[in-house]
Amino acid sequence: MNKPIVAIPLGDPAGIGPEIVVKALAGSEARAAARCLVVGDRNVVENAYRITGVPLKTHITEDPARGEYSDGVLALYPVDNVDMARLPIGEIDGMCGRAACEYIAKAIELASASQVDAVATPPINKESLKAGGVDFIGHTEIFGALTGTPDPLTMFEVRGMRVFFLTRHVSLRKACDMVTKERIVDYVGRCSAALKKLGVESGTMAIAGLNPHSGEHGLFGDEELRAVYPAVEELRTMGYDVTGPIGADSVFHLALQGRFNSVLSLYHDQGHIATKTLDFERTIAVTGGMPILRTSVDHGTAMDIAGKNLASAVSMTEAIVLAAKYSPHYRK
């Protein structure tokens, strides 16, 4: 009973979320790490039992502390909001987008009230959110708005390697323009604070180069000279253990070997390619800078295989385990 309680919103009911959630909770790894509380529609959960054939039974609770977390039982906080007669498995649907958002909102509410220790999320679908009139494009924006966090930090972790992102969903041209000394200084400070909340107190953060070979001192690209080197110099005078720029063709390998406690990737795909090529299923997103801890799978709703019992639960299991690992430090 000392294990942390991890809330798991069910995800998009028409996607693979319900399947991977019940598969993860039918296994032993997630249960060994945490008390897992699913937040979602009971009928959707039990439909996922039928699709996957997992031998689970449902225990309904609106008090996370009193949930039944024994083997063979799925503890469920009920949010019944799906018309099963028209649930379109494998298709974009506004009802499912709204339902997914409501599950997330309830999980955030529970975490904000300290009734659960962390939230681990399966995938949702941006098109379904839009079809349902939800004014957010994804998880990060929902969590940011509902926790009052203007700019949540995204960190990926895979096999102990941690990667932060200076920019997220913008064009590559705009991402290059956003590489400024001021932004790097701000982000390294925020990333360092996020690491401390996770219990990572020591080690060097590396900043990846933007251009090939970090620009070779201005031979091809001057972003490193204009932004990265000056930022590193200022950060060191402020007391931060930071280095860079280090060429993106080597910095992630060095981090994987333990040379750095984290890497600041300067644009979205730079870090995504490095982590997902290493181990796609075990690359887990951690959203930091918020008053609550959230981990997530880093794959989509896979509508093409939804309802066919083909989806792997490895990433969902890893997200739960990572939430359990970091939640005691985060809550302190």
Side-chain angles (χ1 to χ4, degrees), residues 10 12-24 26 38 41-56 58 74 84 87 89 306-311:
L10 202 52
D12 190 306
I16 63 170
E19 295 175 51
I20 63 173
V21 168
V22 302
K23 283 183 176 180
V38 177
D41 189 299
R42 178 174 186 167
N43 291 320
V44 175
V45 168
E46 295 187 346
N47 187 54
Y49 296 162
R50 289 188 286 272
I51 292 170
T52 61
V54 297
L56 294 174
T58 305
L74 183 146
M84 296 300 293
L87 174 60
I89 297 291
K308 299 177 182 178
N309 194 25
L310 297 176

Side-chain angles (χ1 to χ4, degrees), residues 265-285:
S265 167
L266 297 187
Y267 61 94
H268 180 277
D269 281 11
Q270 185 182 58
H272 278 244
I273 292 168
T275 54
K276 292 180 181 179
T277 300
L278 176 63
D279 193 331
F280 188 92
E281 288 193 308
R282 289 179 171 81
T283 294
I284 302 303

Side-chain angles (χ1 to χ4, degrees), residues 34-119:
R35 289 175 283 170
C36 301
L37 178 70
V38 177
V39 179
D41 189 299
R42 178 174 186 167
N43 291 320
V44 175
V45 168
E46 295 187 346
N47 187 54
Y49 296 162
R50 289 188 286 272
I51 292 170
T52 61
V54 297
L56 294 174
K57 65 177 183 179
T58 305
H59 173 252
I60 301 293
T61 181
E62 293 189 357
D63 182 353
R66 295 180 178 272
E68 185 177 344
Y69 300 106
S70 56
D71 290 347
V73 177
L74 183 146
L76 177 70
Y77 191 105
V79 180
D80 295 331
N81 53 9
V82 174
D83 179 359
M84 296 300 293
R86 70 173 197 86
L87 174 60
I89 297 291
E91 298 179 16
I92 304 300
D93 185 82
M95 174 185 70
C96 295
R98 289 190 301 273
C101 188
E102 288 171 11
Y103 306 150
I104 296 165
K106 177 54 69 173
I108 291 172
E109 179 184 321
L110 294 172
S112 298
S114 298
Q115 291 184 272
V116 301
D117 299 292
V119 180

Side-chain angles (χ1 to χ4, degrees), residues 242-272:
V242 61
T243 189
I246 298 175
D249 59 350
S250 58
V251 68
F252 299 103
H253 170 71
L254 296 172
L256 183 64
Q257 291 190 323
R259 185 82 63 87
F260 310 119
N261 69 9
S262 59
V263 177
L264 179 60
S265 167
L266 297 187
Y267 61 94
H268 180 277
D269 281 11
Q270 185 182 58
H272 278 244

Side-chain angles (χ1 to χ4, degrees), residues 198-211:
L198 297 175
V200 182
E201 300 281 351
S202 62
T204 302
M205 179 183 296
I207 300 177
L210 179 67
N211 295 296

